[in-house]
Amino acid sequence: MTTSLVDVASSDVTLRGFLHGLPGVDRVGADQRAAALATRSIKTTAKAQAIDLAISMVDLTTLEGSDTVGKVRAMCAKAIHPDPTDTSVPRVAAVCVYPDMVAHAVRALAGTGVKVASVATAFPSGRSSLAVKVADTTMAVEAGADEIDMVIDRGAFLSGDYTKVYDEIVAIKAACATAHLKVILETGELATYDNVRRASWLAMIAGADFIKTSTGKVAPAATLPVTLIMLEAVRDFRLRTGRMVGVKPAGGIRTTKDAVKNLVLVKETAGDDWLSPEWFRLGASSLLNDLLMQRQKLTTGRYAGPDYFTLD
Amino acid sequence: MSKASRSDAERPSRLAVRKTYKLFIGGAFPRSESGRSYVVSSTKGDFLANASRASRKDARDAVSAARKAFPGWSGATPYNRGQILYRIAEMLEGRRAQFVAELVEVGGLSAKKAGETVDAAVDRLVWYAGWSDKIGAVRGAANPVAGPYFNLSTPEPTGVVAVVAPEDPLLGLVSVVAPVVVTGNTCVVVASERFPLPSITLAEVLATSDLPGGVVNILTGRTAELAPGLAAHMDVNALDLTGVGDPELARRCEEEAAENLKRVLRPSTPDWTVEPDITRMTAFLETKTVWHPVGI
């Protein structure tokens, strides 16, 4: 691997050559490594720290056809004060909404430090023309989104048209201007771990600021081995180029235990540098309530009940 | 050795297959997540078995299972709940011999007394099964009001009930669980610490009686370890302290239960052989009153 990454995307042949030249993923090994790290026991003060860190990493998400302005406003209020009865609970990292809801979220979150992320590019399938995808992105950026979550064209990726995927990411990156770009690989549709590694590198070479596992609309979503492979990819990418790229597992992370497992994975794979909301996010909605319930258990000693937290 | 020369006396004796007593949570029989167990002895002091010693986390899992089962069970028709309770009685009747033998071995009862106890437990289930679709008529009312409204009060289940079962391992257990679940509550039961084995055998009956998983969850272990955690749990709606003998522990449980205003039942030591009344059912019911305009 002596080719400089600048030249990698210069032609279809070099791009394919580079991606297929990446070492293959040992499927059994990756599953075992993720499972072994998931058994680590995190208790008491370490658990309290992990919970607060996880809360500060949450991208609080609502991506439903039934989203209303009221629901987005309520979610923004929760993002600022996840537990209104306890001011020591940190803010979440961002809220994640559809492009037409960005303006409402921006208004609700002004001056709070909570970022507004918007999905774009014909989310979740990505089946539209590049012009539509760019227009979708521009609309969200102009409405004030700090971060754009785009989906890759999985159809093109699976049929081997890597250049099309690359060009789309570059075009959306340009449309993002100053907004951060998160690239959703939708690993549940990529079939193999080798493809996850290739898609991760492809997105990073094309300029992604973050690589994200899933839309949350396809099962399986963010499994631990997939997150492990993506963390290895960002670690190796930094060693190669010096540029840091963030990782965001999304979908299927529902319990505090899941969140803590992800944090262990980050620490052991990518390293401490990634243990901040700037470089690692958890895309979730129901996770936050479980984190708050566990936090309350640690502070009061009694198990919390869902009756005492907001329904969302 | 040729086959023909081997006599019956030389044949190795058959290996004993002994039952592992586990917990009953969400319709399944898991071991305690803590991996702990404790020795259960007969009244004569002989070793009987190792029972699972549930931890606070097992109790939490049991509460989650009970909460998950609550919408389905409380939403089932009273008729359906009654049929299922009746089915439990049928299954218990079918295993009469097993329970009699177990009560003799564990509790040191005579065979005659044990037989009477099992019969009484079956009858108790049938008695409560009959109440399922009648308690609404007895405890509900069409209230007369000064206006063109129907005003209807109906009893509703409280939610998840934590039950500390009395020492009587079969009749006592049935007498505290049946009135809780027949009205649509779900429960987490801390079985008798001294006689846990028949409780787990009863769980096998419950598991084969069409009772949805999670409606009754049975934990074995130390009452003093499990009861305060359940009393403090914010997702438990009511607490039955029948089996708590230690007054200091009972007081502590009541204090913990006050945090989220649980309904608490702390009866004096009851005689389980006496025909019950409806107080155990009404202790875990709440009354909902609805106003509805007449003629619409």
Side-chain angles (χ1 to χ4, degrees):
Chain A
M1 296 222 298
T2 47
T3 341
S4 146
L5 286 179
V6 185
D7 306 328
V8 160
S10 59
S11 81
D12 221 357
V13 177
T14 52
L15 187 57
R16 175 184 307 273
F18 175 80
L19 293 177
H20 285 262
L22 288 167
V25 181
D26 169 5
R27 184 167 198 112
V28 174
D31 286 344
Q32 278 184 344
R33 173 82 176 142
L37 289 175
T39 60
R40 190 167 297 179
S41 174
I42 309 286
K43 300 286 179 209
T44 61
T45 47
K47 186 175 179 184
Q49 277 185 25
I51 288 173
D52 278 6
L53 183 59
I55 292 174
S56 71
M57 285 174 167
V58 166
D59 275 10
L60 202 54
T61 304
T62 180
L63 296 170
E64 302 295 335
S66 56
D67 285 350
T68 60
V69 177
K71 184 176 178 194
V72 169
R73 269 205 299 261
M75 195 179 73
C76 291
K78 183 159 183 169
I80 304 165
H81 299 295
D83 183 352
T85 62
D86 185 351
T87 49
S88 66
V89 179
R91 287 191 305 260
V92 307
V95 299
C96 186
V97 293
Y98 271 117
D100 62 332
M101 290 293 170
V102 168
H104 304 294
V106 167
R107 209 169 306 138
L109 293 170
T112 61
V114 178
K115 300 264 197 300
V116 178
S118 169
V119 296
T121 70
F123 181 93
S125 67
R127 301 251 63 88
S128 193
S129 70
L130 181 59
V132 170
K133 293 180 185 180
V134 169
D136 201 13
T137 309
T138 311
M139 173 188 157
V141 172
E142 282 174 358
D146 305 298
E147 302 168 358
I148 297 295
D149 291 23
M150 73 169 286
V151 289
I152 63 167
D153 184 340
R154 279 88 73 191
F157 182 89
L158 290 171
S159 55
D161 194 352
Y162 300 131
T163 308
K164 177 157 189 263
V165 180
Y166 176 88
D167 290 344
E168 275 195 8
I169 299 173
V170 171
I172 302 297
K173 174 75 180 164
C176 281
T178 57
H180 271 54
L181 177 64
K182 300 195 202 111
V183 178
I184 304 172
L185 310 179
E186 194 61 297
T187 54
E189 292 181 349
L190 294 185
T192 68
Y193 289 177
D194 286 343
N195 277 343
V196 173
R197 179 170 282 174
R198 284 177 197 140
S200 302
W201 278 85
L202 180 62
M204 291 187 292
I205 295 167
D209 298 303
F210 252 86
I211 49 176
K212 174 174 167 183
T213 59
S214 338
T215 58
K217 306 287 185 197
V218 171
T223 64
L224 282 177
V226 158
T227 309
L228 174 76
I229 291 160
M230 289 167 63
L231 285 163
E232 285 172 354
V234 297
R235 176 196 65 196
D236 296 345
F237 187 77
R238 181 166 80 160
L239 288 173
R240 183 90 187 259
T241 65
R243 186 166 82 87
M244 238 171 118
V245 175
V247 177
K248 174 178 171 185
I253 306 169
R254 294 201 178 83
T255 64
T256 301
K257 216 171 232 177
D258 293 339
V260 171
K261 283 175 189 171
N262 272 287
L263 294 180
V264 171
L265 221 54
V266 174
K267 180 166 170 63
E268 294 299 328
T269 311
D272 288 356
D273 292 351
W274 269 268
L275 275 179
S276 98
E278 206 183 330
W279 298 110
F280 192 76
R281 296 280 181 81
L282 296 160
S285 41
S286 57
L287 168 68
L288 184 57
N289 270 3
D290 196 64
L291 286 165
L292 294 173
M293 280 177 17
Q294 290 286 328
R295 198 179 189 279
Q296 208 168 72
K297 164 71 173 66
L298 286 179
T299 48
T300 64
R302 49 178 75 236
Y303 284 113
D307 289 355
Y308 303 90
F309 296 90
T310 56
L311 289 170
D312 35 32
Chain B
M1 196 193 294
S2 80
K3 214 173 176 182
S5 67
R6 191 167 175 171
S7 73
D8 279 355
E10 285 169 310
R11 206 168 287 155
S13 63
R14 187 174 162 271
L15 278 177
V17 179
R18 308 182 71 175
K19 182 156 91 183
T20 313
Y21 288 88
K22 297 190 278 188
L23 308 175
F24 183 52
I25 299 175
F29 290 89
R31 289 185 169 81
S32 168
E33 62 80 34
S34 64
R36 300 177 305 175
S37 60
Y38 69 108
V39 172
V40 180
S41 310
S42 71
T43 40
K44 292 184 204 119
D46 302 330
F47 172 82
L48 287 172
N50 290 309
S52 285
R53 189 175 150 197
S55 66
R56 283 181 305 171
K57 274 193 184 164
D58 292 315
R60 176 202 60 185
D61 292 347
V63 172
S64 305
R67 174 58 64 196
K68 206 170 153 208
F70 181 70
W73 183 243
S74 59
T77 58
Y79 171 76
N80 184 225
R81 285 198 298 267
Q83 288 293 300
I84 289 173
L85 247 72
Y86 194 79
R87 178 82 181 156
I88 298 173
E90 287 175 9
M91 293 290 111
L92 185 56
E93 181 73 37
R95 289 203 191 210
R96 189 174 182 282
Q98 184 190 357
F99 275 96
V100 169
E102 201 158 321
L103 288 177
V104 169
E105 191 186 10
V106 172
L109 302 183
S110 69
K112 181 166 175 289
K113 187 89 175 60
E116 286 167 10
T117 308
V118 177
D119 290 345
V122 173
D123 294 349
R124 187 73 28 100
L125 281 163
V126 173
W127 191 82
Y128 277 116
W131 271 106
S132 65
D133 51 3
K134 299 168 188 71
I135 190 79
V138 174
R139 295 297 292 183
N143 309 311
V145 288
Y149 298 99
F150 291 123
N151 184 284
L152 303 171
S153 292
T154 43
E156 302 231 318
T158 298
V160 175
V161 183
V163 179
V164 183
E167 199 160 79
D168 187 327
L170 180 65
L171 183 56
L173 181 65
V174 165
S175 302
V176 295
V177 169
V180 169
V181 297
V182 70
T183 55
N185 297 296
T186 58
C187 65
V188 176
V189 183
V190 180
S192 159
E193 184 174 333
R194 191 156 164 235
F195 302 115
L197 305 185
S199 314
I200 295 302
T201 309
L202 184 70
E204 292 162 14
V205 170
L206 300 177
T208 51
S209 304
D210 300 332
L211 189 73
V215 172
V216 177
N217 304 276
I218 301 182
L219 305 171
T220 57
R222 305 273 180 245
T223 306
E225 182 186 358
L226 296 169
L230 287 167
H233 199 307
M234 299 293 276
D235 203 23
V236 172
N237 304 107
L239 184 64
D240 178 353
L241 293 173
T242 305
V244 178
D246 175 11
E248 175 54 30
L249 179 63
R251 193 189 58 77
R252 210 180 120 208
C253 287
E254 282 185 301
E255 274 178 14
E256 293 282 10
E259 179 70 20
N260 70 337
L261 306 178
K262 288 181 185 66
R263 285 169 189 280
V264 178
L265 179 67
R266 191 181 164 189
S268 54
T269 330
D271 178 3
W272 301 116
T273 55
V274 175
E275 180 98 339
D277 55 22
I278 63 169
T279 51
R280 283 199 158 264
M281 284 185 282
T282 55
F284 303 113
L285 287 173
E286 297 176 356
T287 302
K288 182 171 81 177
T289 297
V290 179
W291 294 68
H292 192 282
V294 172
I296 289 180

